[in-house]
Amino acid sequence: MRIETQCLHEGYTPKNGEPTVLPIYQATTYKYDSTAHVGKLFDLQEEGCTYSRMANPTVQAVEKKIAALEGGVGALCTSSGQAAILIAVLNILNAGDHIVSAAAIYGGTVNLFAVTLKRLGIDCTFVDADASEEEIQKAFRPNTRLVYGETIANPAIAVLDIEKLARVAHRNKVPLLVDNTFATPILCRPFEHGADLIIHSTTKYMDGHSIQLGGVIVDSGNFDWAAGGYDCLTQPDPSYHGVTYTQQFGSSAYITKARVQLMRDFGAYPTAQDAFLLNLGLETLPLRMERHCRNAEAIARFLTTCEKVEGVNYPTLEGNPYRELAKKYLPKGCSGVISFSLKGGREQAARFIDNLKLAMLAVHVADARTMVLHPATTTHRQLTDEQILAAGITPGLVRLSVGLEHVDDIIADLAQALEKA
């Protein structure tokens, strides 16, 4: 099936007389016929649900759908995008390990890597993802265990050269983890370019309507964990009677361990109701992404004509430094998120935002409705001036998440707010 069809039909196939729509299994608990069968479930010798802290039939159907959309061997849904990043990292890193991350990423991820994980003994070096392979290589250490980046950086709207980072990562025998939230699998499938793991904040475009929080981890099944020396996957796990994940689960070793060990212990699993709502969003994802992209392209071109705007970041614009990478990795479009800088810095940006009538000031992005935010004083507020600049943020930078309204109405709102600013 092509991806548009997969969005509707993957994950759940109704049998004779069953509902056409994915049912909500509103349950925490499951009945079994024998103690022997339950024992096999807990020994990971049988598939099934033991408790909804790790698996639920409604959530599992959505996991199968997302894994199919990204071309992975398996997926694990989480209660938020941040939970997905945390579990994805801690599934293979221990105290004393090191991450190489692109600097131009979401501010919450910077805090996670630079502050919280550091408290747990995991260090991170932030690099300019646009640098040469030789420059990026200098950030690697003997204890580097992961490389991280965003397909489309939030809010710099920088496009990641996935193949370049994959080459550097694999040369050092470590996996590349890519946040594909803004692109979604509709616009980019990072596994086809060498990424090993993918995360999404499903709260964004996959949901698309601001109604539920969620995240997901997707495993390509391609990385050789034995060659990289990841003992947590290649050596017996004492918490499961000595199971060795790579031996018992093969290419699904990583995602299986994330579920049965990390999710078991952290309990950051979404509810069946949340998964049901997410599935509704996934069914219309291809249509929505096409409209988001077309609206954003028109608005980006409009902003380049505005006297009070000193710079517009959108990869399809002529002269944009990421235009060629966008053609390679994002041929269908570059999502609906634009960032642009206003002359006059923070004060000018604040006056512009406060005068908008249709676009909503909201701490959110990638929604059906147009939303706007000033990153320097909100999502990236906790960062130092150096970190803010490294993330591609100027004092007057505005992040505009273009919605599904008629493009002329959005442009009219921007124009009147710019005039008043």
Side-chain angles (χ1 to χ4, degrees):
M1 293 186 290
R2 287 164 176 79
I3 199 164
E4 294 84 355
T5 308
Q6 288 179 311
C7 283
L8 286 163
H9 293 283
E10 284 284 6
Y12 170 68
T13 303
K15 298 182 177 64
N16 184 48
E18 290 186 342
T20 59
V21 176
L22 173 66
I24 302 174
Y25 289 88
Q26 193 65 47
T28 62
T29 309
Y30 307 90
K31 177 185 175 296
Y32 311 100
D33 292 334
S34 70
T35 55
H37 180 70
V38 179
K40 289 181 179 180
L41 288 173
F42 276 86
D43 283 343
L44 308 181
Q45 295 174 357
E46 293 277 357
E47 291 187 4
C49 298
T50 57
Y51 198 60
S52 284
R53 193 175 75 236
M54 291 193 298
N56 168 280
T58 305
V59 186
Q60 285 182 315
V62 177
E63 290 169 340
K64 290 177 182 177
K65 175 174 287 188
I66 295 174
L69 296 180
E70 286 287 14
V73 296
L76 174 66
C77 282
T78 63
S79 56
S80 70
Q82 284 295 94
I85 300 172
L86 179 65
I87 291 174
V89 171
L90 295 185
N91 196 39
I92 51 174
L93 269 70
N94 301 306
D97 288 340
H98 174 248
I99 300 169
V100 172
S101 173
I105 56 174
Y106 169 57
T109 309
V110 175
N111 287 327
L112 173 64
F113 287 177
V115 180
T116 303
L117 289 184
K118 189 172 184 178
R119 290 173 54 201
L120 301 179
I122 297 172
D123 202 5
C124 180
T125 299
F126 295 96
V127 300
D128 179 0
D130 297 334
S132 66
E133 293 184 34
E134 291 73 23
E135 281 298 312
I136 295 172
Q137 178 63 47
K138 293 177 183 178
F140 281 75
R141 305 174 186 173
N143 61 336
T144 301
R145 310 296 281 163
L146 183 69
V147 178
Y148 181 87
E150 295 176 355
T151 308
I152 303 174
N154 177 14
I157 320 301
V159 178
L160 189 71
D161 191 341
I162 300 171
E163 291 181 3
K164 179 179 72 175
L165 257 66
R167 285 194 300 271
V168 180
H170 297 161
R171 191 180 303 135
N172 291 272
K173 297 182 179 180
V174 302
L176 171 62
L177 168 60
V178 172
D179 181 338
N180 200 34
T181 297
F182 277 10
T184 79
I186 305 302
L187 303 180
C188 181
R189 286 161 53 103
F191 290 156
E192 296 177 359
H193 301 286
D196 303 290
L197 306 165
I198 291 172
I199 69 99
H200 288 267
S201 170
T202 60
T203 317
K204 309 302 190 296
Y205 283 124
M206 283 188 168
D207 167 89
H209 301 84
S210 300
I211 53 175
Q212 55 85 34
L213 287 171
V216 68
I217 308 165
V218 189
D219 181 6
S220 71
N222 295 329
F223 190 76
D224 188 346
W225 302 105
Y230 289 83
D231 292 348
C232 59
L233 290 165
T234 62
Q235 298 299 316
D237 178 0
S239 71
Y240 276 108
H241 309 293
V243 64
T244 300
Y245 295 102
T246 51
Q247 289 182 3
Q248 187 160 330
F249 300 102
S251 62
S252 299
Y254 172 92
I255 203 67
T256 301
K257 177 180 179 294
R259 180 185 303 277
V260 302
Q261 190 189 76
L262 273 291
M263 190 58 77
R264 173 199 65 191
D265 295 344
F266 291 165
Y269 204 60
T271 66
Q273 178 74 30
D274 283 342
F276 173 81
L277 294 172
L278 172 57
N279 187 63
L280 291 180
L282 289 170
E283 289 183 348
T284 62
L285 184 60
L287 294 171
R288 290 187 290 106
M289 292 311 296
E290 181 179 358
R291 179 66 171 264
H292 280 299
C293 291
R294 299 295 84 78
N295 277 0
E297 288 170 2
I299 290 167
R301 289 193 297 270
F302 161 75
L303 289 169
T304 62
T305 68
C306 298
E307 183 181 349
K308 295 178 182 179
V309 176
E310 64 179 2
V312 182
N313 299 323
Y314 196 71
T316 62
L317 292 174
E318 288 189 20
N320 186 279
Y322 300 103
R323 195 175 188 206
E324 292 306 312
L325 286 177
K327 289 179 181 178
K328 177 178 180 179
Y329 295 114
L330 300 155
K332 295 180 181 179
C334 296
S335 87
V337 186
I338 301 169
S339 66
F340 60 97
S341 294
L342 291 173
K343 298 174 182 177
R346 294 186 184 216
E347 291 184 5
Q348 185 86 339
R351 284 197 296 270
F352 164 74
I353 290 172
D354 290 343
N355 277 289
L356 289 166
K357 296 178 180 179
L358 176 65
M360 294 184 287
L361 173 58
V363 188
H364 188 45
V365 70
D367 185 77
R369 302 155 193 84
T370 296
M371 296 179 174
V372 67
L373 196 68
H374 185 234
T377 55
T378 54
T379 56
H380 290 65
R381 190 182 187 93
Q382 286 75 30
L383 306 189
T384 65
D385 290 342
E386 291 77 12
Q387 287 175 322
I388 287 176
L389 289 173
I393 300 169
T394 60
L397 188 80
V398 174
R399 185 184 72 185
L400 179 67
S401 177
V402 178
L404 303 179
E405 302 94 344
H406 193 287
V407 67
D408 291 347
D409 291 332
I410 304 172
I411 289 175
D413 188 36
L414 298 175
Q416 65 84 23
L418 284 168
E419 184 179 352
K420 293 175 182 177

